[in-house]
Amino acid sequence: MVPMDFKTAADALEDRKALVTLTTGSTELDKLLEGGIETGSLTEVFGEFRTGKTQLCHTLCVTCQMPISEGGAEGKAIYIDTEGTFRPNRLQAIAERFGMDPSVALENVAYARAHNSEHQMELLKMAAAIMSQDRYALIVVDSATALYRTDYSGRGELSERQMHLAQFLRQLTRLAEEFGVAVFITNQVVANPDGMSFAKDSTKPIGGNIVAHASTTRLRLRKGRGENRICTGKFSPCKILFLVGFFDTISMRFNGVIAFRFQKYSTLQHCQKPIANSLW
């Protein structure tokens, strides 16, 4: 239930102490997020293709089923796929990595493929119905903006697109607050016309301020040298300002599970001196 009246800040603090965080499978990324992906709020990760967004979605679908003492939430997951990138065999490999029964892990993930933006919105109503019948801990939308890019094109439909996208994100936020689940969405990027092609940050996430304001925590994944990936925390209340991490995809070639290797740096000016690192 969503409270409709006032309460003291002390009560609000006690409520926040009861929030559960979902481990990402990476020790350093969990530290960056002060425990992991927070339940009861919306977390967005954006980046170009092959930066690990979908892999992170698959991982969370497994870790949310783990005991709370191990970084899970002892709940099921809902996965809304808009790009056709959902792969059950990846869930099996991740479940084996965490010592879980792959068949049980698959049974605890409710999957649906959205075919257009209206269907995507309708799936949220279906998600609310099934969450009222069982314990769910996570909703994944991969990606939240892909169908809106194709259903609404050109500047003439930009205002309508943003309005419908805002309504979709608002519904996600309501589900997070009402059912206490973690909402994890991925977002695509577009070339930034304001920046030069050789600039350090030549892309920006889709959705503009509508998506930015809806997200409680915002992460950016981008490609580093070779098979390395860099994770940047863009903003989050009472959390990180800027931390950088690398994850190594070499291990995926021999055990089927992508491995994050994050390195945290004290300042941007001294990125050559890692102060902590760990392997997934």
mmCIF file of all heavy atoms in Angstrom, residues 10 18 21 31 46 53 57 90 99 101 160 166-167 175 177 186 191 210 222 242 246-247 252 268:
data_model
loop_
_atom_site.group_PDB
_atom_site.id
_atom_site.type_symbol
_atom_site.label_atom_id
_atom_site.label_comp_id
_atom_site.label_asym_id
_atom_site.label_seq_id
_atom_site.Cartn_x
_atom_site.Cartn_y
_atom_site.Cartn_z
ATOM 1 N N ALA A 10 11.616 10.764 11.061
ATOM 2 C CA ALA A 10 12.134 9.605 11.797
ATOM 3 C C ALA A 10 11.477 8.317 11.304
ATOM 4 O O ALA A 10 12.143 7.288 11.135
ATOM 5 C CB ALA A 10 11.893 9.778 13.293
ATOM 6 N N ALA A 18 14.395 -0.558 6.180
ATOM 7 C CA ALA A 18 13.804 -1.851 5.827
ATOM 8 C C ALA A 18 13.951 -2.174 4.342
ATOM 9 O O ALA A 18 13.597 -3.270 3.918
ATOM 10 C CB ALA A 18 12.322 -1.870 6.217
ATOM 11 N N THR A 21 18.399 -4.335 -0.886
ATOM 12 C CA THR A 21 19.161 -4.075 -2.103
ATOM 13 C C THR A 21 19.535 -5.398 -2.764
ATOM 14 O O THR A 21 19.805 -6.387 -2.084
ATOM 15 C CB THR A 21 20.444 -3.271 -1.798
ATOM 16 O OG1 THR A 21 21.205 -3.955 -0.791
ATOM 17 C CG2 THR A 21 20.094 -1.872 -1.310
ATOM 18 N N LYS A 31 29.379 -1.848 -3.895
ATOM 19 C CA LYS A 31 29.883 -0.780 -3.029
ATOM 20 C C LYS A 31 29.550 0.583 -3.625
ATOM 21 O O LYS A 31 29.190 1.518 -2.906
ATOM 22 C CB LYS A 31 31.402 -0.912 -2.858
ATOM 23 C CG LYS A 31 31.834 -2.097 -2.000
ATOM 24 C CD LYS A 31 33.356 -2.146 -1.897
ATOM 25 C CE LYS A 31 33.814 -3.336 -1.067
ATOM 26 N NZ LYS A 31 35.304 -3.409 -0.998
ATOM 27 N N PHE A 46 22.185 3.143 -18.967
ATOM 28 C CA PHE A 46 22.176 3.454 -20.394
ATOM 29 C C PHE A 46 23.570 3.305 -20.968
ATOM 30 O O PHE A 46 24.580 3.343 -20.250
ATOM 31 C CB PHE A 46 21.619 4.860 -20.658
ATOM 32 C CG PHE A 46 22.447 5.983 -20.097
ATOM 33 C CD1 PHE A 46 23.447 6.576 -20.860
ATOM 34 C CD2 PHE A 46 22.229 6.467 -18.818
ATOM 35 C CE1 PHE A 46 24.209 7.609 -20.362
ATOM 36 C CE2 PHE A 46 22.992 7.505 -18.305
ATOM 37 C CZ PHE A 46 23.988 8.085 -19.075
ATOM 38 N N LYS A 53 24.467 -4.024 -20.691
ATOM 39 C CA LYS A 53 23.187 -3.667 -20.077
ATOM 40 C C LYS A 53 22.289 -4.897 -19.911
ATOM 41 O O LYS A 53 21.748 -5.146 -18.830
ATOM 42 C CB LYS A 53 22.474 -2.608 -20.929
ATOM 43 C CG LYS A 53 23.264 -1.326 -21.152
ATOM 44 C CD LYS A 53 22.452 -0.281 -21.876
ATOM 45 C CE LYS A 53 21.977 -0.720 -23.248
ATOM 46 N NZ LYS A 53 23.097 -0.962 -24.184
ATOM 47 N N CYS A 57 20.824 -7.114 -16.613
ATOM 48 C CA CYS A 57 19.403 -7.437 -16.412
ATOM 49 C C CYS A 57 19.225 -8.916 -16.099
ATOM 50 O O CYS A 57 18.478 -9.293 -15.178
ATOM 51 C CB CYS A 57 18.600 -7.083 -17.663
ATOM 52 S SG CYS A 57 18.471 -5.329 -18.020
ATOM 53 N N ARG A 90 21.149 -17.928 -20.717
ATOM 54 C CA ARG A 90 22.032 -17.062 -19.939
ATOM 55 C C ARG A 90 21.628 -17.080 -18.468
ATOM 56 O O ARG A 90 22.483 -17.027 -17.573
ATOM 57 C CB ARG A 90 21.988 -15.637 -20.486
ATOM 58 C CG ARG A 90 22.550 -15.534 -21.897
ATOM 59 C CD ARG A 90 22.221 -14.223 -22.564
ATOM 60 N NE ARG A 90 23.084 -13.128 -22.133
ATOM 61 C CZ ARG A 90 23.021 -11.899 -22.646
ATOM 62 N NH1 ARG A 90 22.135 -11.621 -23.581
ATOM 63 N NH2 ARG A 90 23.822 -10.956 -22.226
ATOM 64 N N GLY A 99 25.390 -21.005 -7.683
ATOM 65 C CA GLY A 99 25.082 -22.231 -6.960
ATOM 66 C C GLY A 99 23.602 -22.500 -6.811
ATOM 67 O O GLY A 99 23.184 -23.160 -5.847
ATOM 68 N N ASP A 101 19.730 -23.793 -8.501
ATOM 69 C CA ASP A 101 19.156 -24.750 -9.434
ATOM 70 C C ASP A 101 18.666 -23.988 -10.662
ATOM 71 O O ASP A 101 17.741 -23.167 -10.549
ATOM 72 C CB ASP A 101 17.999 -25.499 -8.776
ATOM 73 C CG ASP A 101 17.459 -26.631 -9.652
ATOM 74 O OD1 ASP A 101 17.740 -26.640 -10.869
ATOM 75 O OD2 ASP A 101 16.744 -27.498 -9.120
ATOM 76 N N GLU A 160 4.159 14.107 -28.124
ATOM 77 C CA GLU A 160 3.295 12.966 -27.799
ATOM 78 C C GLU A 160 4.110 11.795 -27.272
ATOM 79 O O GLU A 160 3.700 11.104 -26.341
ATOM 80 C CB GLU A 160 2.507 12.548 -29.041
ATOM 81 C CG GLU A 160 1.484 11.452 -28.771
ATOM 82 C CD GLU A 160 0.706 11.074 -30.024
ATOM 83 O OE1 GLU A 160 1.016 11.631 -31.101
ATOM 84 O OE2 GLU A 160 -0.187 10.216 -29.917
ATOM 85 N N ALA A 166 6.425 9.385 -20.330
ATOM 86 C CA ALA A 166 6.296 9.827 -18.937
ATOM 87 C C ALA A 166 5.232 9.021 -18.207
ATOM 88 O O ALA A 166 5.396 8.671 -17.031
ATOM 89 C CB ALA A 166 5.962 11.316 -18.890
ATOM 90 N N GLN A 167 4.130 8.713 -18.887
ATOM 91 C CA GLN A 167 3.083 7.908 -18.273
ATOM 92 C C GLN A 167 3.566 6.497 -17.984
ATOM 93 O O GLN A 167 3.249 5.927 -16.922
ATOM 94 C CB GLN A 167 1.856 7.871 -19.190
ATOM 95 C CG GLN A 167 1.143 9.197 -19.335
ATOM 96 C CD GLN A 167 0.033 9.162 -20.368
ATOM 97 O OE1 GLN A 167 -0.124 8.171 -21.097
ATOM 98 N NE2 GLN A 167 -0.740 10.230 -20.444
ATOM 99 N N LEU A 175 4.405 1.042 -9.351
ATOM 100 C CA LEU A 175 4.576 -0.377 -9.041
ATOM 101 C C LEU A 175 5.711 -0.584 -8.041
ATOM 102 O O LEU A 175 5.620 -1.416 -7.137
ATOM 103 C CB LEU A 175 4.847 -1.169 -10.323
ATOM 104 C CG LEU A 175 3.690 -1.284 -11.320
ATOM 105 C CD1 LEU A 175 4.138 -2.049 -12.567
ATOM 106 C CD2 LEU A 175 2.491 -1.981 -10.683
ATOM 107 N N GLU A 177 6.746 1.509 -5.767
ATOM 108 C CA GLU A 177 6.346 1.988 -4.448
ATOM 109 C C GLU A 177 5.269 1.104 -3.825
ATOM 110 O O GLU A 177 5.283 0.844 -2.626
ATOM 111 C CB GLU A 177 5.835 3.428 -4.561
ATOM 112 C CG GLU A 177 6.911 4.427 -4.983
ATOM 113 C CD GLU A 177 6.348 5.805 -5.240
ATOM 114 O OE1 GLU A 177 5.091 5.932 -5.307
ATOM 115 O OE2 GLU A 177 7.135 6.748 -5.384
ATOM 116 N N THR A 186 16.698 -0.375 -18.928
ATOM 117 C CA THR A 186 17.833 0.001 -19.768
ATOM 118 C C THR A 186 17.377 1.073 -20.746
ATOM 119 O O THR A 186 16.202 1.181 -21.071
ATOM 120 C CB THR A 186 18.387 -1.209 -20.545
ATOM 121 O OG1 THR A 186 17.416 -1.649 -21.510
ATOM 122 C CG2 THR A 186 18.724 -2.346 -19.602
ATOM 123 N N ALA A 191 23.538 9.873 -30.744
ATOM 124 C CA ALA A 191 24.654 10.788 -30.923
ATOM 125 C C ALA A 191 24.259 12.192 -30.477
ATOM 126 O O ALA A 191 23.156 12.661 -30.770
ATOM 127 C CB ALA A 191 25.090 10.799 -32.384
ATOM 128 N N ILE A 210 12.625 13.731 -19.196
ATOM 129 C CA ILE A 210 11.531 12.871 -18.733
ATOM 130 C C ILE A 210 12.091 11.629 -18.057
ATOM 131 O O ILE A 210 11.688 11.266 -16.944
ATOM 132 C CB ILE A 210 10.628 12.472 -19.914
ATOM 133 C CG1 ILE A 210 9.896 13.696 -20.482
ATOM 134 C CG2 ILE A 210 9.630 11.401 -19.490
ATOM 135 C CD1 ILE A 210 8.894 14.308 -19.538
ATOM 136 N N ARG A 222 29.901 2.209 -20.737
ATOM 137 C CA ARG A 222 30.519 2.504 -22.032
ATOM 138 C C ARG A 222 31.725 1.599 -22.238
ATOM 139 O O ARG A 222 32.253 1.003 -21.297
ATOM 140 C CB ARG A 222 30.915 3.973 -22.135
ATOM 141 C CG ARG A 222 31.940 4.453 -21.127
ATOM 142 C CD ARG A 222 32.148 5.959 -21.244
ATOM 143 N NE ARG A 222 33.056 6.474 -20.244
ATOM 144 C CZ ARG A 222 34.373 6.552 -20.404
ATOM 145 N NH1 ARG A 222 34.936 6.137 -21.530
ATOM 146 N NH2 ARG A 222 35.136 7.050 -19.448
ATOM 147 N N PHE A 242 30.930 9.968 -8.364
ATOM 148 C CA PHE A 242 31.589 9.465 -9.566
ATOM 149 C C PHE A 242 32.558 8.362 -9.196
ATOM 150 O O PHE A 242 33.465 8.573 -8.418
ATOM 151 C CB PHE A 242 32.341 10.590 -10.289
ATOM 152 C CG PHE A 242 32.835 10.192 -11.648
ATOM 153 C CD1 PHE A 242 32.132 10.527 -12.788
ATOM 154 C CD2 PHE A 242 33.999 9.457 -11.786
ATOM 155 C CE1 PHE A 242 32.585 10.155 -14.035
ATOM 156 C CE2 PHE A 242 34.453 9.073 -13.032
ATOM 157 C CZ PHE A 242 33.751 9.423 -14.155
ATOM 158 N N PHE A 246 35.694 -1.268 -14.352
ATOM 159 C CA PHE A 246 35.896 -2.017 -15.576
ATOM 160 C C PHE A 246 35.343 -3.420 -15.389
ATOM 161 O O PHE A 246 35.465 -3.995 -14.318
ATOM 162 C CB PHE A 246 37.390 -2.123 -15.900
ATOM 163 C CG PHE A 246 38.039 -0.799 -16.155
ATOM 164 C CD1 PHE A 246 38.580 -0.067 -15.117
ATOM 165 C CD2 PHE A 246 38.105 -0.283 -17.433
ATOM 166 C CE1 PHE A 246 39.186 1.148 -15.344
ATOM 167 C CE2 PHE A 246 38.702 0.941 -17.664
ATOM 168 C CZ PHE A 246 39.250 1.652 -16.617
ATOM 169 N N PHE A 247 34.701 -3.953 -16.417
ATOM 170 C CA PHE A 247 34.406 -5.366 -16.326
ATOM 171 C C PHE A 247 34.965 -6.090 -17.531
ATOM 172 O O PHE A 247 34.962 -5.594 -18.640
ATOM 173 C CB PHE A 247 32.914 -5.657 -16.103
ATOM 174 C CG PHE A 247 31.990 -5.302 -17.212
ATOM 175 C CD1 PHE A 247 31.842 -6.134 -18.311
ATOM 176 C CD2 PHE A 247 31.219 -4.165 -17.135
ATOM 177 C CE1 PHE A 247 30.958 -5.827 -19.309
ATOM 178 C CE2 PHE A 247 30.330 -3.847 -18.143
ATOM 179 C CZ PHE A 247 30.198 -4.692 -19.234
ATOM 180 N N MET A 252 33.760 -14.767 -19.987
ATOM 181 C CA MET A 252 32.510 -15.228 -20.569
ATOM 182 C C MET A 252 32.769 -16.276 -21.646
ATOM 183 O O MET A 252 31.917 -17.087 -21.960
ATOM 184 C CB MET A 252 31.745 -14.041 -21.165
ATOM 185 C CG MET A 252 30.356 -14.388 -21.676
ATOM 186 S SD MET A 252 29.425 -12.946 -22.207
ATOM 187 C CE MET A 252 30.415 -12.377 -23.583
ATOM 188 N N LEU A 268 39.222 11.774 -10.410
ATOM 189 C CA LEU A 268 39.311 11.659 -11.858
ATOM 190 C C LEU A 268 40.724 11.967 -12.343
ATOM 191 O O LEU A 268 41.150 11.458 -13.363
ATOM 192 C CB LEU A 268 38.319 12.616 -12.515
ATOM 193 C CG LEU A 268 36.838 12.259 -12.381
ATOM 194 C CD1 LEU A 268 35.999 13.336 -13.037
ATOM 195 C CD2 LEU A 268 36.557 10.922 -13.012
#
